[in-house]
Amino acid sequence: MPGDYLFANIRRTNHLMYALVHRLWNAARKAAGVSRKITLLSLRHFFASAGLAKGVPATDMAVWLGHSDPRTTYQTYAHVLPDAPERLRSDMDDVLSLKTQLVLPLQFEALHENVSPC
């Protein structure tokens, strides 16, 4: 299956009739006893914001959101990434001080060996 979407149409894309998804969501919300109106758009925004705030790469989130260009994801959700530079500094401090073990995929090692020094 080309896409692993929560809601998919018969062609397995992320596009499904909004009216059907809306009806399914409202039924699930009511069955769970949630009286507050929570829209599908607010769920999508929460999913993206929470994932990005917890360190999910914006490139991965862009794929899951169906954005054809990760810049759309950055522009839309930049407000949840203000601490990204500090998080990176902290992560790098942990790696360089050996507080955290860095495990790189084998593909990285192979790429690193093939790069000629400048």
Side-chain angles (χ1 to χ4, degrees):
M1 183 162 84
D4 190 15
Y5 301 105
L6 178 60
F7 297 112
N9 65 17
I10 198 165
R11 284 176 257 124
R12 296 293 190 211
T13 67
N14 63 334
H15 302 289
L16 188 64
M17 293 183 337
Y18 182 77
L20 174 59
V21 174
H22 184 73
R23 211 169 42 242
L24 292 170
W25 167 245
N26 279 332
R29 185 177 53 81
K30 288 176 185 171
V34 176
S35 59
R36 181 176 173 201
K37 183 177 179 185
I38 301 171
T39 66
L40 292 170
L41 183 60
S42 63
L43 285 177
R44 175 184 170 89
H45 189 69
F46 172 78
F47 169 77
S49 298
L52 291 167
K54 293 305 264 177
V56 173
T59 50
D60 291 345
M61 193 60 68
V63 171
W64 296 330
L65 293 170
H67 294 163
S68 58
D69 186 339
R71 288 180 292 188
T72 303
T73 309
Y74 283 114
Q75 291 166 351
T76 306
Y77 296 99
H79 64 282
V80 299
L81 301 170
D83 68 333
E86 182 54 39
R87 260 194 345 244
L88 176 60
R89 276 191 288 280
S90 177
D91 289 346
M92 290 306 295
D93 283 346
D94 288 350
V95 168
L96 294 173
S97 66
L98 302 177
K99 287 182 190 173
T100 301
Q101 182 181 4
L102 180 62
V103 179
L104 297 174
L106 293 176
Q107 297 88 344
F108 178 83
E109 296 296 332
L111 288 174
H112 183 68
E113 291 171 4
N114 293 332
V115 174
S116 62
C118 296

